[in-house]
Amino acid sequence: ASVDFSAKQRSKSIGESQPAEQSRLRQIVHGTTFESISMVAIITNAIFVGIQTELATEGLDEHDDPSVFVINAAYALFFVVELALRMHVSGRSFLLDRSLWHWNFLDTF
C-alpha cells in the first residue's frame, strides 16, 4: 500500500511553506535583535561620518584611502539590504502605514 501524492497535493504542501517562511522573515525583521543591529549601524555610521567630517575640516582626510571607501560601501550595502528586507515583509503597507510612513519614506532617501 504505497501512497502517491498527486502534483496538486505536492504543490499545495510546497506553497504552504512559503507563508511560514514569510512569517519567519517578518518576525526577524520586526524583532528586537534586527532593530538593535540596525540602530547600532546607524549610530556607528553617524560617528564614522562625523570623524570623516572632522578630519576633512582639519585637512587630515585621506581621499585616496581605500579603507574609507570600503567602510562607506559596507554601510551602504547594509542599509540597502535592511531597506529591501523591510519593504519585502511590509509589502504595499511600507509607505501606506499611517503610523510609520514618514520614517519609511525618509529611509528610502
Side-chain angles (χ1 to χ4, degrees), residues 25-38 86:
L25 183 59
R26 182 175 283 114
Q27 288 175 344
I28 291 170
V29 170
H30 293 299
T32 56
T33 301
F34 188 84
E35 293 286 338
S36 298
I37 291 169
S38 297
R86 290 185 189 277

Side-chain angles (χ1 to χ4, degrees), residues 4 10 14 18 25 34 36 41 45 52 56 59 61 65-66 69 80 94 103:
D4 184 14
R10 284 192 300 267
I14 292 170
Q18 290 175 351
L25 183 59
F34 188 84
S36 298
N45 185 42
Q52 280 184 288
D61 62 328
D65 189 0
F69 174 79
V80 166
F94 183 77
W103 289 115

Side-chain angles (χ1 to χ4, degrees), residues 1-107:
S2 65
V3 177
D4 184 14
F5 289 113
S6 68
K8 186 176 181 179
Q9 288 173 323
R10 284 192 300 267
S11 66
K12 183 177 178 186
S13 64
I14 292 170
E16 288 174 351
S17 67
Q18 290 175 351
E21 292 169 1
Q22 179 75 11
S23 175
R24 179 70 181 132
L25 183 59
R26 182 175 283 114
Q27 288 175 344
I28 291 170
V29 170
H30 293 299
T32 56
T33 301
F34 188 84
E35 293 286 338
S36 298
I37 291 169
S38 297
M39 181 179 60
V40 168
I42 291 168
I43 291 169
T44 57
N45 185 42
I47 292 169
F48 184 70
V49 169
I51 291 169
Q52 280 184 288
T53 304
E54 180 67 25
L55 292 175
T57 59
E58 295 176 6
L60 301 174
D61 62 328
E62 294 289 329
H63 294 292
D64 297 331
D65 189 0
S67 62
V68 173
F69 174 79
V70 170
I71 293 170
N72 279 324
Y75 277 117
L77 178 64
F78 175 82
F79 291 130
V80 166
V81 169
E82 178 205 13
L83 181 63
L85 287 171
R86 290 185 189 277
M87 291 175 101
H88 178 71
V89 299
S90 298
R92 286 191 264 173
S93 69
F94 183 77
L95 290 176
L96 301 177
D97 183 352
R98 288 181 174 222
S99 63
L100 296 174
W101 74 267
H102 51 283
W103 289 115
N104 292 338
F105 185 76
L106 181 65
D107 282 345

